[in-house]
Amino acid sequence: MLAGCSARARAVTSDEVAFEGQNYRVVRLDLRRHALTLHWREPASGQPFGSIDALRRWGEARGQRLLFAANAGIYDKQFAPLGLYVEDGKTLVPLNLAHGNPVAGNFSLLPNGVFAVYPDGHAAVRTSADFKADGKPVQWASQSGPMLLIDGKLNPQFVGDSASLKWRSGVCAPSPHEVVFAVSEAPVNFHTFGRLFRDKLGCRDALYLDGSISQLYVDEEGYAGAPAFMVKPYAGIFAVFATP
């Protein structure tokens, strides 16, 4: 019984949330209980994991059960992170402040931003410019864009009746040790997705992660988000593992 209780205690909080007639899968992490990490390449071979399932199998081979996973930020045509990527304190890709690059897609819908977990265990979402000005070292970080919310306000570039509908994923940190991930279970526009984080999830700063390839994985629940046939290899995967 003790082992069963311990396993349940480590489980992440996962809920289906309804907002304006649309459903979303929302996962809340307490960073004091859940060690959130980032994974791009398999350490021994240097080959990208590419998929959540590959990361899950890698963890299982090491006696680690995958409790939660989600794709990280936007990446380029070489399947490398397009912006800042920090893994276990090591900066593998530097901060990207290039503006107006059409090949960058949503990344160039400014401002973009950074989701970071710091060495003391707290998390934050900052615009890329604020992150650079702050200059503090981070333990884990992924740059993506656009920002969904900046200081409680919707990104001014979002249009309420936009017909650009996609599956979308995002992240925020409502408090220093709480992280919230969300993915839509059907296509939505940026304006609606940003309001989900502001009006339903209690966030002031939130970051878009990616669109039609986005999924969340929760242990014993499986996948939510984009249909499997739309998913492509990821460059960077957020994860929470449980060890025996």
Side-chain angles (χ1 to χ4, degrees):
M1 288 298 294
L2 288 176
C5 290
S6 176
R8 285 194 295 272
R10 291 195 300 266
V12 302
T13 300
S14 171
D15 297 293
E16 186 172 274
V17 172
F19 179 70
E20 297 185 356
Q22 178 59 271
N23 290 332
Y24 301 83
R25 176 57 56 178
V26 176
V27 172
R28 295 182 182 269
L29 305 176
D30 182 343
L31 298 185
R32 293 165 294 193
R33 296 174 56 236
H34 303 120
L36 180 64
T37 55
L38 261 171
H39 305 265
W40 177 13
R41 297 185 177 116
E42 199 278 323
S45 68
Q47 294 299 309
F49 285 106
S51 71
I52 291 172
D53 198 50
L55 183 64
R56 180 186 58 78
R57 294 194 301 269
W58 175 81
E60 287 179 349
R62 287 151 184 78
Q64 298 176 307
R65 185 172 184 174
L66 183 63
L67 298 181
F68 164 78
N71 53 290
I74 291 172
Y75 52 89
D76 62 22
K77 293 181 178 180
Q78 286 70 49
F79 295 100
L82 187 59
L84 178 72
Y85 183 89
V86 180
E87 192 171 304
D88 202 13
K90 297 179 181 178
T91 301
L92 304 184
V93 179
L95 190 69
N96 181 353
L97 296 179
H99 292 179
N101 182 355
V103 302
N106 290 321
F107 191 87
S108 290
L109 185 60
L110 302 178
N112 54 37
V114 174
F115 167 72
V117 179
Y118 292 81
D120 67 359
H122 87 275
V125 169
R126 312 285 299 279
T127 67
S128 296
D130 285 348
F131 179 86
K132 181 181 180 181
D134 188 47
K136 293 181 179 178
V138 296
Q139 197 69 19
W140 311 92
S142 178
Q143 185 182 7
S144 193
M147 290 285 289
L148 297 169
L149 298 175
I150 307 106
D151 196 23
K153 297 179 180 179
L154 287 172
N155 189 316
Q157 300 203 55
F158 296 167
V159 177
D161 60 355
S162 170
S164 177
L165 306 178
K166 299 181 184 296
W167 283 269
R168 301 188 188 277
S169 65
V171 63
C172 73
S175 64
H177 294 97
E178 181 185 13
V179 173
V180 178
F181 288 88
V183 66
S184 64
E185 297 189 356
V188 296
N189 66 26
F190 272 128
H191 198 277
T192 301
F193 197 52
R195 285 188 288 108
L196 167 79
F197 278 87
R198 183 190 66 185
D199 301 339
K200 190 75 172 181
L201 303 182
C203 306
R204 290 191 61 80
D205 296 278
L207 181 66
Y208 177 69
L209 291 175
D210 214 332
S212 297
I213 64 170
S214 292
Q215 289 189 329
L216 301 185
Y217 169 85
V218 177
D219 184 41
E220 297 184 350
E221 293 183 11
Y223 292 88
F229 72 87
M230 297 189 70
V231 175
K232 298 178 181 179
Y234 297 139
I237 301 170
F238 292 109
V240 172
F241 284 100
T243 54

